[in-house]
Every structure is written in structure tokens, then in C-alpha cells.
Amino acid sequence: MSELSKPKEDLQDPDEAQGPEEVQLLGAEGGEATSLSASSPPVSLSAPVEALPQEALNKMVADMVKFLLRKYRAKEPTSYTELLNTVLRDNHDHYPVVFCQAIECILLVFGVDVKEVDPRKHIYITVPNLGLTCDAVQRGGQGLPKAGLLVVVLSLILQNRDHIPEEEIWEALNKMGLYVGREHSLFGEPRELLTKVWVREGYLKYRQVSDSDPARYEYLWGPRAFLETSKEKFMEYLLRVSRRAFISFPLPSAEAVKEEEEGALSQSSSQADLSL
């Protein structure tokens, strides 16, 4: 049984998990190699690379995640060269570890897959994981991607024989720093997202448990989930993450991503004015 189906494990203190720069996700266990969509980074390390302080590494990973999210929303490809020169600048030697952690973050938190489309030039595209298009539905795709959370919820349902009591969903999501009635910097108010937004869009069903008194409720896959993806794809995905544990990754807050986007728009506007 995967780690997703173990909501009662003791993890991090909930108050520690609520910082705007962090979110809980499925991450690689210590010492285990990561196998994701993008190929191994095209860097040859002939000499040992000086170890980075964890804080500096976290900052580089967060910067690369922000950059990849911007590319995702703009529907633009990126490249090894661009990632080096735009994100890492003077830290090229650390590209392999930063790149691997960044694509793991963006997949497991935001539900965005990084795929290499040109192995010779190392060109990458960012696409929705498992075919889910919920981010395009919400705000025209302009907000922070939320498909990663939807993947977690659909996975929990699948592993609980296709329906899961509401209280068990919240036991699991509480471990990730998501609480009913408490606004989250990445996902907003989570109960409204699950019970109203995703039910309205057809990704989830929310219904009363038969013969329950007092009334209890449960979640199931909705018709749109079956239309856009499949249980088989989810099982393949779960095999990729089933040996991972819940850990914290440093991630850009919603405010940080918004500031970066506003800065990029301002810069583009200035360049346009200069060209006139």
C-alpha cells in the first residue's frame, strides 16, 4: 500500500507546515533515485561539486520551480541553456540536483510534468500531469496550478475502493497543511475547492453515505475525471510515487509568483515602449 493511503502517520507539526514558502508533498526517500519524465540533466561532472548549504539549495530549487511555472502558464518551452543562464547563473555545477528536485516539486505539488521533447538540444515542455485540465478551467489557467492536489485526492479515492469518507480525506490533507476553513497560500480554502469547485467542474462527486444518521459524506471520482484520465494511468503514476514519504520542499508562495509575473509583464512593457 502506498504512502498516500497512510493518513494516520505522524509527520511534521501542522503549524510548521503552514509557512507560505513550504507545502507538504510526496518526495523521494533518502538515497533513492528519482525517475521522472525529463531525462537526466546533460551535465558531466568530472570533479566533485562543492556541497551547497541546504538554504542555498532550497532557494535555487524554488527559483527554478517559479520559472517552470511561468513557462507552464505561458505555454512556452524552455531549455537546458535557458535554465542555466536564467535561473542558476553562476551555479551551473549544481544543475543536476536542482533540476531533479525542481521537476519533482512541480510534478508532485502542482501536477505539472516536465518532458524533454528534443534530447539533442535538451528542450523541455511543461504539460498537465495525467491529462487533467482543471487548471485551464480555473481563472483561464492564470492562477497557480492546483492539479497536484486534485491528483492526491483522486489517488486517495482510488486506493480506498473508489469512494472515501470525508473525514479520511481531511485526515490526509491535514498532514499536508490543508485545513477546513483555513486559507492556504497555494490552494485557497480547501473545502470549497473540493466540495464546490471540483464538484461543479465534474472532477469529484460529493454525496451522503447511504443510511448514515447523523449524515456523513464521501468523495468519489466525477465524470470529468473519467473523461480526462483513467484509473490505469493513475495506477502507473502511483507506482512512481508509492515508495515516497511526505516531506517539505521549499516552494515559492503565491505572492512571490505573482510578484515575478508582474515584474516580467512590466519588463516586457518597457521593452515594447523602447522599441516604438
Side-chain angles (χ1 to χ4, degrees):
M1 183 176 293
S2 82
E3 303 297 335
L4 274 174
S5 59
K6 300 178 182 177
K8 294 183 175 60
E9 291 182 359
D10 291 332
L11 301 168
Q12 185 179 358
D13 187 292
D15 292 332
E16 294 177 0
Q18 274 302 108
E21 299 296 329
E22 292 187 339
V23 68
Q24 301 301 304
L25 71 153
L26 293 169
E29 294 177 346
E32 185 177 351
T34 301
S35 176
L36 297 175
S37 295
S39 67
S40 298
V43 177
S44 176
L45 301 178
S46 56
V49 178
E50 181 181 352
L52 276 174
Q54 190 62 43
E55 185 176 350
L57 175 61
N58 290 348
K59 174 67 165 56
M60 291 181 195
V61 172
D63 287 345
M64 189 169 287
V65 168
K66 280 198 297 185
F67 185 82
L68 290 170
L69 286 176
R70 186 148 54 88
K71 290 292 183 180
Y72 174 70
R73 281 190 297 273
K75 296 181 172 61
E76 296 175 352
T78 187
S79 67
Y80 163 67
T81 302
E82 186 177 35
L83 291 170
L84 280 183
N85 296 333
T86 305
V87 181
L88 294 186
R89 299 186 178 93
D90 298 326
N91 298 284
H92 290 192
D93 289 344
H94 300 288
Y95 179 88
V97 64
V98 173
F99 180 75
C100 286
Q101 289 194 19
I103 63 173
E104 186 170 79
C105 271
I106 201 172
L107 171 67
L108 298 173
V109 176
F110 296 105
V112 175
D113 225 343
V114 179
K115 294 181 178 292
E116 187 173 49
V117 293
D118 187 336
R120 186 172 61 86
K121 295 182 179 179
H122 300 291
I123 306 296
Y124 303 100
I125 60 170
T126 49
V127 295
N129 185 33
L130 297 169
L132 296 169
T133 65
C134 60
D135 295 323
V137 174
Q138 296 174 22
R139 295 187 230 168
Q142 295 303 305
L144 284 170
K146 297 178 174 64
L149 180 59
L150 179 57
V151 168
V152 170
V153 173
L154 292 174
S155 297
L156 287 166
I157 295 169
L158 181 60
Q159 294 175 93
N160 204 65
R161 299 185 180 180
D162 298 332
H163 58 92
I164 186 170
E166 182 176 26
E167 56 269 24
E168 291 189 23
I169 281 282
W170 292 111
E171 282 183 35
L173 297 189
N174 287 171
K175 302 291 187 179
M176 299 169 63
L178 296 166
Y179 299 90
V180 173
R182 185 185 298 184
E183 195 78 9
H184 191 276
S185 63
L186 296 176
F187 303 115
E189 202 289 301
R191 190 174 189 278
E192 180 179 359
L193 181 62
L194 268 67
T195 306
K196 294 184 179 178
V197 177
W198 284 339
V199 168
R200 183 173 65 247
E201 292 173 358
Y203 288 105
L204 297 175
K205 283 185 178 180
Y206 180 68
R207 71 183 186 189
Q208 183 176 343
V209 176
S210 177
D211 299 325
S212 60
D213 187 18
R216 294 169 49 246
Y217 293 86
E218 62 184 2
Y219 287 96
L220 300 86
W221 279 37
R224 188 173 191 135
F226 284 106
L227 181 66
E228 293 185 352
T229 188
S230 68
K231 292 181 180 180
E232 290 74 18
K233 288 181 181 179
F234 260 77
M235 293 308 297
E236 291 176 6
Y237 170 80
L238 290 172
L239 287 174
R240 295 165 67 187
V241 301
S242 63
R243 297 188 62 189
R244 304 175 192 278
F246 283 99
I247 64 172
S248 290
F249 257 103
L251 286 173
S253 65
E255 292 78 11
V257 174
K258 183 178 180 182
E259 287 172 6
E260 180 179 282
E261 288 182 333
E262 289 174 349
L265 287 172
S266 176
Q267 183 179 8
S268 298
S269 177
S270 299
Q271 290 173 345
D273 292 340
L274 289 172
S275 65
L276 292 177

